[in-house]
């Protein structure tokens, strides 16, 4: 239910999305092409599959190793995980002057970058989801979804009437309007940081007010002392930031498993 006053609650991605630490590890998944989009596929270990499919919608870092390792984490919990590279090899980090510096390269137009990729993704994601359903959907399989930053709106859309998923979650969201929360018909897990210039305290409280007043099924997980990007891009050498990232992941996994079992 969109209105003429459909205001942003989680703002479009900003400079805070350029910050973060590149993680270390060896991804275990593989890449394939689905609906014309390069897609990361991570399968659960032998004997651990729960029979369900998890759609993963990336943040603006796209197919950075951080996201691949998180997808592998969901796969280790039993999900068949698929994530589209809707940035088509053009993540925002490609335009930083230095991997450790949030300063962008000369002439980079962040607004134009966002418009280019939201326009493509909004058109491509529904076709990608349909193709995933056709290829990976089985008689007993249920679909869940998770999105980080840029990926949050696609989670909310798939949890609305006519969507593909029975449960979903997002962490440090961007690009969310009031209607994204009002239109929900399936359970949503919100993993948030107390400090977030994209999803401020006032905006988060407003969103929760909508969920409460309209009796939506939701759970809010809120961490102090970390900022936007905490669930993907925190510094793993900082014990607290590492703990927060893992708690976010485990909280989302627990939420998905509970509702998938209902």
């Amino acid at each position: 239910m969109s209105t003429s006053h459909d205001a942003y609650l989680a703002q479009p991605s900003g400079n805070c999305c350029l910050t973060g630490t590149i993680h270390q590890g060896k991804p275990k998944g593989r890449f394939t092409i689905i609906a014309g989009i390069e897609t990361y596929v991570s399968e659960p270990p032998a004997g651990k599959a729960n029979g369900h499919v998890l759609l993963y919608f990336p943040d603006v870092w796209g197919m950075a190793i951080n996201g691949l390792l998180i997808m592998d984490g969901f796969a280790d919990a039993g999900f068949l995980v698929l994530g589209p590279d809707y940035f088509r090899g053009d993540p925002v980090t490609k335009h930083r002057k230095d991997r450790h510096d949030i300063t962008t390269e000369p002439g980079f137009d962040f607004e134009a970058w966002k418009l280019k990729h939201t326009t493509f993704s909004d058109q491509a994601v529904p076709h990608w989801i349909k193709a995933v359903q056709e290829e990976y959907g089985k008689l007993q399989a249920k679909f869940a979804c998770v999105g980080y930053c840029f990926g949050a709106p696609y989670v909310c859309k798939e949890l609305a009437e006519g969507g593909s998923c029975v449960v979903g979650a997002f962490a440090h969201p961007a690009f969310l309007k009031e209607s994204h929360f009002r239109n929900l018909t399936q359970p949503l897990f919100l993993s948030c940081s107390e400090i977030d210039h994209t999803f401020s305290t006032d905006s988060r409280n407003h969103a929760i007010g909508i969920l409460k007043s309209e009796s939506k099924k939701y759970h809010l997980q809120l961490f102090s002392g970390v900022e936007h990007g905490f669930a993907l891009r925190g510094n793993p050498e900082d014990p607290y930031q590492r703990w927060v990232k893992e708690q976010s992941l485990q909280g989302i996994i627990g939420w998905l498993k509970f509702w998938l079992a209902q």
Side-chain angles (χ1 to χ4, degrees), residues 76-218:
D76 286 340
F79 295 96
L80 171 63
V81 186
L82 298 103
D85 181 14
Y86 36 49
F87 302 113
R88 295 167 290 168
D90 184 38
V92 73
T93 47
K94 180 179 178 181
H95 303 283
R96 295 194 306 188
K97 289 178 65 176
D98 181 271
R99 63 185 291 183
H100 302 297
D101 189 343
I102 68 169
T103 305
T104 55
E105 61 190 9
F108 175 61
D109 187 336
F110 199 0
E111 294 305 313
W113 182 92
K114 286 185 280 189
L115 179 60
K116 170 186 175 182
H117 290 298
T118 53
T119 299
F120 173 80
S121 299
D122 287 350
Q123 295 175 350
V125 165
H127 299 291
W128 178 83
I129 292 172
K130 182 178 179 180
V132 169
Q133 289 177 305
E134 292 174 351
E135 185 170 350
Y136 293 93
K138 299 177 182 178
L139 185 61
Q140 300 300 322
K142 294 179 182 178
F143 281 74
C145 55
V146 62
Y148 293 77
C149 182
F150 187 98
Y154 304 112
V155 167
C156 291
K157 184 175 180 180
E158 295 312 306
L159 298 182
E161 185 174 358
S164 65
C165 298
V166 300
V167 61
F170 62 58
H172 42 82
F175 293 97
L176 290 182
K177 296 184 176 183
E178 288 190 10
S179 58
H180 286 110
F181 295 94
R182 297 190 187 280
N183 292 346
L184 293 172
T185 60
Q186 301 292 350
L188 172 69
F189 185 99
L190 304 83
S191 187
C192 301
S193 57
E194 192 175 42
I195 308 165
D196 192 334
H197 299 297
T198 298
F199 196 36
S200 69
T201 299
D202 287 345
S203 291
R204 186 182 68 244
N205 289 342
H206 189 105
I208 295 300
I210 292 172
L211 298 176
K212 289 175 62 177
S213 67
E214 301 195 5
S215 300
K216 309 293 186 182
K217 294 183 176 67
Y218 75 94

Side-chain angles (χ1 to χ4, degrees), residues 28-40:
K28 68 174 187 178
R30 58 184 171 84
F31 282 95
T32 188
I33 302 297
I34 299 176
I37 301 177
E38 189 169 49
T39 300
Y40 186 74

